[in-house]
Amino acid sequence: MGIQYFEDGKVFKLDTKNTSYILALVDGEFIGHAYYGKKLSDYHVCHLMRLEEGPFIPSKNNRDRGAFCDAFPFEYSTHGVGDYRESCLKVQTEGGHEACSLAYHSHKIYSGKPALLGLPATFGSESECSTLELVCLDPVLNLEVVLVYSVFEDVDAVTRSVRITNHSKEDIVLKKALSACLQLDGTDYEYITLHGSWARERHIDRRPLTHGKHSVSSLRGESGHQDHPFLAVMSSKTTQETGEVYAMNFVYSGNFLAQVEGCQFDTARMVMGINPENFSWTLTKDETFICPEVVMVYSDEGLGKMTRTFHDLYRNHLIRGKYRDKKRPILINNWEATYFNFNTDKLLSIAKEANKLGIEMLVMDDGWFGHREDDNTSLGDWQVNEEKLPGGLKTLVDGVNALGMKFGIWFEPEMISPDSDLYRAHPDWAIKIADRTPCRCRNQFVLDISRKEVRDYIYDRIKAVLSCANIEYVKWDMNRPLTDLGSISYPPQRQGELSHRYMLGVYEMQERLITDFPHLLLENCSGGGGRFDAGMLYYSPQIWCSDDTDAIERLSIQEGTAIVYPLCSMGAHVSDCPNHTVGRTTPFKTRGEVALAGTFGYELDVTRIPQKDRDMIPSQVAMYHKYNDLVRSGDYYRLASYSENHEYDCYEVAAKDGSEALVTYVEVLRRANFKTRRIRLKGLDQNAVYENEETKARYTGDILMYAGVQTPETWGDFSSKLMHFVRVE
Ligand code: GLA
């Protein structure tokens, strides 16, 4: 069992293979954080909470309780009772008061991990994880707060969530209910967040931690393109291999707050949870609120180990379904090929050519329903446009299937166009505030998915479409953020619940979809990668990473995404050039080798691309089949970063058993009169002998890892090279 309680020191010790997380009960009341870091053999670390220094614990000196609360390393901080650092919990009583103070009441330790009702969460069997529930009470409010910790022993991850129950007769409004808080000692840290915008999502942003609050957040109703629910605080000068890293990632897809605060006594506090802005939640008697899960990872071997821990956890304990551990069919998507301008003949002509080249699935993107000829209309009218697709979907899908290919389809279920039969029939189904003209984005409104009748209607339409033909893939898109938050379903004091209820509604619909269609391959998407997060990964094994398909732009996008999320989850396609987002022309070979680091597919009109590019597709298809098992399941190592060095990019995937490794090298800008570069591989068996499959040169594992090899010579900008090393002895 990874969790132990030591009665003598009232200490809880949560161990994984390589880490310990230690908290303790102080003065019979306060739950303090003592330690998170490399695994310890002993639990006597309560001195780290500085209890022998002033301000002393209240039982020894109640006179300075306020000062104590302002310095004590609380496991879960509350508002209004003396701790002025970021609080996790803030309430409002019927009397208008906001203070809350939690005291330990009891605890429970058990094998396994509970599901979080209605929310995505990591999962594991009784032998894979164990759980600690710390029950705390505010006796004045009659509020019960259960801090839930689960430990994945083999994966080195600890998850947290919180259950809040109102046992009083009066309503209690939650004004803030974060999921996790972590106290760190010292402030000599740097931190990483993932920043971006549409078409340039999740670029790595690294900054020094100073005093005060440093936060990223979303109020968009989705995790968003701009900021990301991920935060890694690390010792200064941390590299891929060295340094201590404390990371938090939110298993949630809506508004979030991720913050680290450099505090007055040179400590730091990390918090993560639902963004308290735009949030309130009324708990009536005996109602419970569940805070979404935060995953915490500690690494004492730099960012690389943190990354591989997240990848292992998500591949084995978050992603579900038939395709989790399987090669995904190579798809061709018609979006960049045709945009809205297609019909059955056009799609079949793409499918025919694609099929000859080895592509396995045709995905029909936006524009097949209502009278949608551009992005101004018809969202919500999920009936096939028979002018474009005569004979309906079945004719098209049967035609594609007859070629031996699978068929997939695009939906944007959460949206409604003002120009749609649905909006004309139900204008009140859009999220908006009475008397205020709602803001349009891409000329569309957001459906009030928090309402059951809206969900049921849309879901039934999707189900009808999916049931009318052999559809094996769905791309679930979401192309605008939420604004004008107003729902006719809630009384005024409950309007602050809308954003979270919206997310619960989306989760409920996706759960229904994958339950009713267990063989479906679901890919989430939001204007590219605006909702690429751990919450969505619980429902779909892959997420469209970005609308930017340029191979060079993708290097930074995929590097930032892969710092947390496994390569098998990153939707990546080869597209046509000049690239539709940046106008850049890159070699077809490079486009293929960069897309290989993700799910791999095509997004172009295969009937119209240059013959020499088309000729390359069969070998790219073979490359995918050859390497995808390794890419999907191996250990990912970042060897060099184009976003840091501005010249070249290099990453490796090594088989877990050390039997092979694939290195991808992209020389972005060719330097004049320059030599080859040296790279050192990782994750190999130092005593084995490996052969470079192409050159047949043989090296011992220690030479590859400690001495290194030279990168191949390249010519021209944007060139790429794969190097495959296979163990031969
Ligand atoms: C979003 C997606 C694209 C495409 C369009 C269709 O932008 O990210 O891939 O599906 O919508 O409108």
Side-chain angles (χ1 to χ4, degrees):
M1 176 82 80
I3 303 178
Q4 289 167 281
Y5 174 61
F6 300 97
E7 177 60 36
D8 57 348
K10 305 226 178 307
V11 170
F12 299 90
K13 186 163 186 276
L14 286 59
D15 284 331
T16 68
K17 206 166 46 182
N18 299 297
T19 71
S20 293
Y21 186 101
I22 302 178
L23 47 136
L25 179 57
V26 172
D27 224 14
E29 175 181 348
F30 304 104
I31 300 173
H33 180 76
Y35 175 81
Y36 188 28
K38 204 170 165 68
K39 188 166 189 170
L40 302 178
S41 57
D42 190 15
Y43 62 93
H44 289 102
V45 289
C46 287
H47 55 278
L48 299 174
M49 292 189 288
R50 299 189 171 93
L51 298 174
E52 301 310 319
E53 294 171 32
F56 299 107
I57 48 179
S59 58
K60 289 192 185 159
N61 180 7
N62 204 27
R63 170 188 181 279
D64 282 327
R65 187 182 172 103
F68 171 82
C69 289
D70 207 14
F72 184 71
F74 283 103
E75 265 298 308
Y76 191 70
S77 52
T78 57
H79 172 85
V81 288
D83 179 356
Y84 293 97
R85 295 156 293 178
E86 189 71 35
S87 63
C88 291
L89 184 63
K90 182 173 174 183
V91 301
Q92 191 170 54
T93 63
E94 286 187 0
H97 301 125
E98 293 186 335
C100 176
S101 180
L102 296 177
Y104 168 87
H105 173 265
S106 58
H107 71 267
K108 199 159 83 172
I109 295 172
Y110 54 90
S111 303
K113 180 174 189 292
L116 301 186
L117 191 68
L119 284 166
T122 55
F123 51 82
S125 67
E126 294 196 353
S127 61
E128 290 165 329
C129 45
S130 42
T131 297
L132 163 67
E133 295 197 1
L134 280 171
V135 182
C136 310
L137 296 178
D138 181 321
V140 176
L141 300 176
N142 250 321
L143 190 71
E144 179 187 276
V145 176
V146 184
L147 309 182
V148 185
Y149 300 76
S150 293
V151 169
F152 287 86
E153 276 183 71
D154 282 346
V155 193
D156 284 332
V158 178
T159 64
R160 293 181 62 170
S161 78
V162 180
R163 278 200 316 266
I164 305 167
T165 306
N166 175 11
H167 291 303
S168 83
K169 290 192 196 78
E170 293 187 357
D171 288 359
I172 294 179
V173 179
L174 302 178
K175 302 195 79 180
K176 181 182 195 181
L178 302 187
S179 300
C181 175
L182 177 65
Q183 286 294 143
L184 301 174
D185 202 59
T187 45
D188 185 18
Y189 296 109
E190 295 174 332
Y191 66 100
I192 280 183
T193 55
L194 300 173
H195 184 72
S197 181
W198 172 77
R200 47 184 168 83
E201 296 89 339
R202 290 173 299 286
H203 284 230
I204 295 173
D205 213 346
R206 182 172 179 153
R207 277 165 287 174
L209 177 64
T210 53
H211 289 116
K213 295 178 177 177
H214 304 239
S215 65
V216 290
S217 63
S218 168
L219 279 173
R220 294 168 189 269
E222 61 173 343
S223 47
H225 300 82
Q226 289 73 11
D227 286 320
H228 196 76
F230 166 77
L231 174 65
V233 177
M234 60 214 174
S235 45
S236 297
K237 304 194 180 57
T238 287
T239 67
Q240 282 293 316
E241 287 136 50
T242 61
E244 286 192 289
V245 187
Y246 305 87
M248 285 187 180
N249 189 211
F250 206 15
V251 189
Y252 187 63
S253 316
N255 296 343
F256 73 89
L257 171 71
Q259 181 176 287
V260 55
E261 178 181 2
C263 305
Q264 60 176 331
F265 300 117
D266 283 359
T267 59
R269 174 177 282 179
M270 283 173 83
V271 295
M272 186 172 274
I274 292 179
N275 196 333
E277 217 176 307
N278 273 1
F279 171 82
S280 72
W281 195 276
T282 302
L283 285 179
T284 57
K285 185 171 171 358
D286 294 329
E287 271 185 348
T288 297
F289 182 80
I290 302 174
C291 303
E293 177 167 287
V294 166
V295 173
M296 296 194 309
V297 168
Y298 165 81
S299 158
D300 65 331
E301 292 171 31
L303 287 163
K305 187 171 172 209
M306 173 207 75
T307 290
R308 289 184 290 282
T309 303
F310 276 116
H311 287 193
D312 285 343
L313 183 75
Y314 291 166
R315 283 187 296 208
N316 297 313
H317 301 285
L318 179 67
I319 298 174
R320 300 177 291 170
K322 162 176 158 178
Y323 282 101
R324 181 181 89 163
D325 304 318
K326 274 205 183 139
K327 234 193 283 178
R328 321 277 158 77
I330 301 178
L331 66 83
I332 183 160
N333 178 303
N334 74 308
W335 179 240
E336 286 194 24
T338 64
Y339 295 102
F340 295 99
N341 185 18
F342 62 86
N343 56 25
T344 298
D345 287 346
K346 178 68 201 169
L347 293 176
L348 282 175
S349 73
I350 291 177
K352 267 185 206 132
E353 187 61 31
N355 179 55
K356 278 194 244 158
L357 302 168
I359 295 170
E360 298 157 313
M361 176 159 74
L362 176 81
V363 173
M364 177 174 65
D365 211 279
D366 193 357
W368 56 267
F369 51 91
H371 58 277
R372 192 159 164 96
E373 298 297 343
D374 56 31
D375 56 10
N376 286 304
T377 76
S378 303
L379 294 168
D381 294 346
W382 300 110
Q383 282 94 24
V384 175
N385 178 346
E386 296 231 11
E387 279 173 31
K388 277 183 169 176
L389 308 180
L393 260 181
K394 187 147 174 35
T395 306
L396 170 64
V397 178
D398 286 351
V400 172
N401 286 169
L403 297 168
M405 288 177 87
K406 296 179 189 297
F407 182 85
I409 196 168
W410 179 98
F411 282 101
E412 198 178 351
E414 300 155 63
M415 297 294 152
I416 183 166
S417 301
D419 175 16
S420 65
D421 293 341
L422 187 65
Y423 191 72
R424 283 181 281 275
H426 298 285
D428 62 311
W429 281 16
I431 292 178
K432 58 185 171 186
I433 299 168
D435 303 329
R436 182 180 291 281
T437 308
C439 176
R440 294 184 185 201
C441 303
R442 212 192 191 203
N443 215 354
Q444 62 198 55
F445 299 138
V446 184
L447 278 167
D448 188 354
I449 292 292
S450 72
R451 288 165 62 181
K452 187 170 180 331
E453 69 273 30
V454 177
R455 284 201 299 278
D456 286 350
Y457 173 84
I458 293 294
Y459 183 75
D460 287 347
R461 296 275 69 72
I462 294 174
K463 191 170 175 179
V465 171
L466 295 183
S467 306
C468 80
N470 181 26
I471 299 174
E472 299 179 74
Y473 162 106
V474 163
K475 177 173 169 187
W476 180 305
D477 209 341
M478 192 254 188
N479 275 322
R480 62 153 287 179
L482 274 59
T483 59
D484 303 282
L485 293 174
S487 172
I488 58 162
S489 306
Y490 316 125
Q493 69 277 16
R494 282 185 175 262
Q495 291 292 322
E497 301 182 12
L498 179 55
S499 297
H500 183 55
R501 288 196 185 276
Y502 178 89
M503 260 342 296
L504 295 176
V506 173
Y507 290 146
E508 196 241 309
M509 285 176 81
Q510 296 214 348
E511 187 68 40
R512 253 199 268 180
L513 181 66
I514 59 175
T515 306
D516 286 349
F517 300 93
H519 301 298
L520 194 72
L521 173 56
L522 180 62
E523 176 157 357
N524 267 292
C525 173
S526 173
R531 206 163 59 183
F532 196 124
D533 54 58
M536 298 321 286
L537 271 189
Y538 184 66
Y539 303 94
S540 65
Q542 60 193 55
I543 303 175
W544 183 227
C545 203
S546 176
D547 276 345
D548 194 336
T549 50
D550 172 67
I552 303 307
E553 293 293 304
R554 275 291 180 129
L555 294 176
S556 307
I557 296 170
Q558 293 182 184
E559 178 189 6
T561 305
I563 203 170
V564 193
Y565 304 104
L567 306 188
C568 63
S569 66
M570 295 196 306
H573 297 167
V574 177
S575 63
D576 200 9
C577 278
N579 179 266
H580 292 198
T581 310
V582 289
R584 184 178 289 130
T585 296
T586 52
F588 201 74
K589 174 174 180 293
T590 304
R591 285 177 254 162
E593 291 176 0
V594 171
L596 184 68
T599 55
F600 194 79
Y602 291 87
E603 180 119 1
L604 40 71
D605 186 346
V606 72
T607 66
R608 295 177 59 185
I609 58 170
Q611 187 63 39
K612 64 176 184 13
D613 292 351
R614 194 162 38 237
D615 289 347
M616 228 182 274
I617 292 180
S619 60
Q620 289 185 336
V621 165
M623 166 184 82
Y624 168 79
H625 287 301
K626 177 171 177 184
Y627 293 125
N628 183 255
D629 283 345
L630 172 62
V631 169
R632 244 185 21 253
S633 63
D635 283 334
Y636 167 81
Y637 294 90
R638 172 59 48 182
L639 305 185
S641 161
Y642 165 61
S643 46
E644 280 173 18
N645 63 39
H646 307 300
E647 286 193 12
Y648 68 103
D649 210 53
C650 191
Y651 47 88
E652 173 195 344
V653 183
K656 286 205 173 279
D657 63 1
S659 58
E660 58 175 330
L662 180 69
V663 175
T664 306
Y665 176 76
V666 182
E667 176 110 352
V668 179
L669 292 178
R670 176 72 193 147
R671 239 210 258 186
N673 183 27
F674 199 62
K675 300 289 183 193
T676 59
R677 297 190 164 88
R678 184 162 306 164
I679 50 163
R680 294 185 198 175
L681 274 66
K682 310 271 181 248
L684 302 179
D685 174 353
Q686 61 175 2
N687 299 314
V689 176
Y690 293 86
E691 184 174 276
N692 178 327
E693 208 178 36
E694 190 186 15
T695 65
K696 304 293 175 213
R698 290 189 170 198
Y699 311 88
T700 54
D702 57 1
I703 287 184
L704 289 174
M705 291 196 293
Y706 311 138
V709 284
Q710 299 305 122
T711 56
E713 284 194 82
T714 58
W715 179 246
D717 292 340
F718 316 133
S719 59
S720 71
K721 187 79 194 164
L722 296 181
M723 287 177 272
H724 187 211
F725 296 90
V726 182
R727 185 167 59 199
V728 286
E729 284 171 32

